[in-house]
Amino acid sequence: WFRSLLAAVVRFDTDKRPIVILDHVDHVALWIAAVTFALPGHYRPFLSFATYHHDPYQVNYRLTGTTADSRFRFSADEYISYFVLNAEANRISEANDSTYASFVAKNFTPDLYEEKLLELFAMCSAQMPSSPLANVDAALEAITRFFLTVREGAISPSSPEGRAGLVAFLSSVEEKRTLSQDDLEQVVAIADTLFSA
């Protein structure tokens, strides 16, 4: 459920599906907190939410918590046009795939958070602009694929996903007027990855 919820959050701009969470009010706050900590730090302030609203149809938040007696109908259509996490009915909408959400959910434990996720978040913060993006999911996908190819070795650089991650990173480097030490280290890491492939 967490992976699906995170995928819905990062794909919000592409899928245009507001997220409605039906759960105990304390649990709604925990779902939102978990999603917040699963995003790169500089992106967190742009995540809009309400832990409770009686009418999710009338709000413009990315995530809205509600209760069973709210105006939200929880019909079959809502599970398609909205992303619904209904803990009381043990039902959740289907979410589109997200390499970012899958990797983060897999490593969302106290030990792996520091070992793997903080490094990914730092890379995202270095590569993404500090203002909100119109297509954040594409940026997170590209950076995650780069990370999985160069840092983790989990994706082959010759695979379509690996090549897409490398090309996206190199394109972002080409657009910069000056390169940071981190950028140069990443270019060296790409060369090492390609040489050893």
Side-chain angles (χ1 to χ4, degrees), residues 12 32 43-50 60-64:
F12 177 83
I32 294 171
Y43 183 71
R44 294 172 187 168
F46 304 112
L47 182 65
S48 61
F49 64 87
N60 291 322
Y61 299 116
R62 193 165 291 215
L63 294 104
T64 305

Side-chain angles (χ1 to χ4, degrees), residues 18-192:
I19 299 154
V20 176
I21 303 172
L22 170 62
D23 203 343
H24 184 276
V25 67
D26 292 338
H27 295 168
V28 170
L30 292 174
W31 283 115
I32 294 171
V35 166
T36 302
F37 287 114
L39 294 170
H42 80 285
Y43 183 71
R44 294 172 187 168
F46 304 112
L47 182 65
S48 61
F49 64 87
T51 55
Y52 172 77
H53 200 280
H54 69 284
D55 190 355
Y57 301 115
Q58 300 299 317
V59 296
N60 291 322
Y61 299 116
R62 193 165 291 215
L63 294 104
T64 305
T66 197
T67 55
D69 61 351
S70 72
R71 293 190 177 158
F72 197 75
R73 293 186 304 270
F74 297 97
S75 69
D77 289 343
E78 269 82 14
Y79 280 86
I80 296 169
S81 57
Y82 289 78
F83 177 86
V84 180
L85 188 158
N86 185 339
E88 290 184 9
N90 201 27
R91 185 174 177 197
I92 189 169
S93 296
E94 289 187 24
N96 289 311
D97 289 335
S98 166
T99 305
Y100 176 85
S102 294
F103 180 75
V104 170
K106 179 181 174 183
N107 294 287
F108 204 71
T109 66
D111 293 339
L112 296 177
Y113 191 91
E114 287 188 22
E115 182 182 324
K116 295 189 183 268
L117 296 186
L118 290 182
E119 185 177 0
L120 174 63
F121 296 161
M123 185 177 288
C124 290
S125 295
Q127 296 301 316
M128 295 171 68
S130 57
S131 58
L133 287 173
N135 197 1
V136 71
D137 63 316
L140 289 174
E141 284 297 295
I143 294 167
T144 305
R145 288 176 178 169
F146 175 80
F147 184 84
L148 290 171
T149 303
V150 175
R151 295 286 177 93
E152 294 284 304
I155 296 178
S156 168
S158 60
S159 71
E161 296 85 8
R163 284 195 307 272
L166 296 176
V167 167
F169 175 79
L170 293 172
S171 296
S172 72
V173 167
E174 285 180 348
E175 294 172 5
K176 294 182 178 181
R177 291 184 181 180
T178 59
L179 297 180
S180 67
Q181 183 63 33
D182 188 54
D183 291 330
L184 296 173
E185 289 172 5
Q186 298 299 345
V187 171
V188 169
I190 290 172
D192 291 343

